Amino acid sequence: MSEDINFEDYTSSHCGIELTLSVMGGKWKPLILWFLIKKGTKRYGEIRRFIPTVTNKMLSQQLKELVNDGLVSRKDYKQIPPKVDYSITDKGKSLQPVLDFMCIWGLEQTKTFNKVK
Amino acid sequence: MSEDINFEDYTSSHCGIELTLSVMGGKWKPLILWFLIKKGTKRYGEIRRFIPTVTNKMLSQQLKELVNDGLVSRKDYKQIPPKVDYSITDKGKSLQPVLDFMCIWGLEQTKTFNKVK
DNA sequence: CTGTATCCCCCTTGATACTG
DNA sequence: CAGTATCAAGGGGGATACAG
């Protein structure tokens, strides 16, 4: 049994990155999470305005997944007209270091690029 | 002119995350980068074996983009049979903190999940 | 205001075969 | 060994309308 185990068996699925990506990967989730972390509780429309290129379909879908994965919590005020807001959870907040880093790294690249140009 | 500028103009495109994602986003690039950072220079086939679910098409495509973006360098030994290897560049290495964090975060989640279960 | 519902397109991704 | 070429498929994502 153990003779079948060798170092070749250590593949990408063992390193945790795939799991992390499954929860915060994609085009929109990092932006949503970063916004909620930095700016606090926000209403649906505010998030939408922060990410001008996202559609209703994608935003509501991504928010739903974030809520399901426990990174974001949703509060429905049960009003007419509707009022719903979203906050980051502790679990979501634990991703702050990655998001901060991605934000800063991107800005650094912009600066460097402009200098070289 | 300046009266048109307000805080609503601060949108996701200003925060750097989108740029970072454009360079290291997606399903494969973080894994490739992490592997090259942790394990050093690797040949094409080794990377492929580390990520068993990637196809030739996707791997060669993603590697090409990483090389174009300056995160990875490619060395062709011009041999028959071919030998090519890939290394992380300094720019690529500057992403190490994100990748390490994503790796650790994922492993932590696995542990927590197993405990709760 | 906060979403759903529907339609649909294209682009990523996959599978397979093949080459130098 | 390290890819490319080609075809096929699926779903991510967009546009629009509309509902509560």
Side-chain angles (χ1 to χ4, degrees), chain A residues 11 15 23 32 36 58 63 84 95 104 112 114:
Chain A
T11 60
C15 89
V23 143
I32 298 169
L36 294 179
M58 289 313 298
L63 282 170
V84 177
L95 286 169
I104 291 167
T112 307
N114 288 337

Side-chain angles (χ1 to χ4, degrees), chain B residues 3-4 13 15 21 23-24 31-32 35 37 53 65 76 94 106:
Chain B
E3 69 267 18
D4 287 340
S13 60
C15 89
L21 287 176
V23 144
M24 62 150 291
L31 295 172
I32 297 170
F35 188 55
I37 286 174
T53 53
E65 293 179 14
D76 187 338
S94 72

